[in-house]
Amino acid sequence: MSPVDPHCDAAGMLQLNFVSYLSVEASEQTSPRAALAAQRAAVAAHLSECGGHLIAEMREIRRGDAPGPSAVLDDALALCRQHGAVLLVAGLDRLARDQAFLTTLRRDLARLGVRLAVTSMPEANEGTIGILAALAAHAAPVADKDRAARRRDFLVRLGERQRRAGEKPGDRRVLPAPICKPRTMERALSVAPVLAEIRAAGAATFEQVAHALNELGVPSARGDRWYPAQVRRVEKRIASVA
């Protein structure tokens, strides 16, 4: 992890440095200028709340057919690395649907040792962005507001535990698809990326994995809760084709 280079305000208090990344789509109904202004306001509110110092703003207008991070984001990450700053992303609620963006961002954050903060989404940080990417790939939406709140709270707690322990998320394993996929194997492989991210985040027992899946709102094969024995069976099936 890069050492944080704090900035002192006029009163001599230390402030955390941030590099903001603003991104809007050219196809958005509102004008790009208005969308950028809204994200800039969200960044200002975040900085005001945490007492942070913005050292640079990086912005771009993305095309809908160009998934994944861009050179603008690469430049923002380089600045974070150079100044020991935190990458502050606005509007990740839309980008969270882009699995390629989340997966590449997760890899680059780990590679460069850069921390992540997201306006209006405290559950997203460098420790949990991989789980969000896996959930996006698994297409595990949560319609119930209480369940969505539990997912956010769980990810916040998980990210805090990772930071306290100094852990780094591990590389996600890409599992090859078997030649013949029975229905049970298809279900196991569909949830494999989520399981890998939960394991990488520090879950060591079947009980911990089952708890994480339930908190994240990922349904079991029967559409209900996960139990340790189910996790064991699914991971055994995955291991048989790894």
Side-chain angles (χ1 to χ4, degrees), residues 32 36 40 59 90 96 102 106 121 127 171 196 237:
L36 286 172
R40 193 173 289 116
R59 56 188 180 274
L102 293 177
R106 168 192 180 277
M121 193 182 288
D171 292 331
R237 293 187 186 111

Side-chain angles (χ1 to χ4, degrees), residues 13-236:
M13 300 294 291
L14 294 179
Q15 294 178 303
L16 198 60
N17 287 334
F18 289 88
V19 172
S20 65
Y21 170 69
L22 313 181
S23 171
V24 298
E25 287 185 0
S27 59
E28 288 185 356
Q29 293 181 350
T30 58
S31 69
R33 179 175 296 182
L36 286 172
Q39 292 187 17
R40 193 173 289 116
V43 167
H46 183 95
L47 295 173
S48 176
E49 182 178 351
C50 71
H53 173 65
L54 185 66
I55 62 174
E57 175 187 287
M58 307 298 291
R59 56 188 180 274
E60 70 172 330
I61 299 177
R62 293 166 56 91
R63 292 174 53 89
D65 58 352
S70 67
V72 176
L73 182 57
D74 290 341
D75 291 342
L77 287 167
L79 282 172
C80 290
R81 174 74 172 176
Q82 178 182 352
H83 297 281
V86 178
L87 179 67
L88 180 57
V89 178
L92 188 62
D93 50 346
R94 173 179 52 78
L95 292 172
R97 299 190 298 270
D98 185 345
Q99 184 201 2
F101 176 90
L102 293 177
T103 302
T104 307
L105 177 59
R106 168 192 180 277
R107 181 200 64 200
D108 291 343
L109 288 169
R111 176 174 57 85
L112 298 173
V114 173
R115 291 181 58 183
L116 173 71
V118 180
T119 62
S120 74
M121 193 182 288
E123 69 271 23
N125 56 50
E126 70 280 0
T128 59
I129 196 73
I131 293 179
L132 291 174
L135 290 171
H138 187 259
V142 178
D144 181 76
K145 291 183 178 180
D146 290 338
R147 171 65 70 177
R150 287 181 61 188
R151 173 184 285 187
R152 289 194 298 269
D153 291 343
F154 173 77
L155 286 170
V156 169
R157 295 195 304 272
L158 179 61
E160 289 173 351
R161 286 199 301 269
Q162 280 192 316
R163 284 177 174 174
R164 287 197 300 268
E167 297 174 352
K168 294 183 180 179
D171 292 331
R172 188 175 72 183
R173 297 174 62 193
V174 178
L175 300 177
I179 297 176
C180 179
K181 297 190 296 185
R183 193 171 183 181
T184 54
M185 184 62 75
E186 287 189 56
R187 291 198 189 104
L189 292 179
S190 72
V191 79
V194 184
L195 290 173
E197 292 294 345
I198 291 172
R199 287 293 192 184
T205 67
F206 297 128
E207 289 82 1
Q208 291 172 339
V209 175
H211 173 72
L213 289 168
N214 291 328
E215 289 295 289
L216 293 169
V218 178
S220 68
R222 297 180 179 179
D224 53 10
R225 293 180 59 80
W226 285 83
Y227 296 93
Q230 290 172 295
V231 174
R232 182 177 181 277
R233 286 195 298 269
V234 169
E235 289 191 332
K236 186 175 180 180

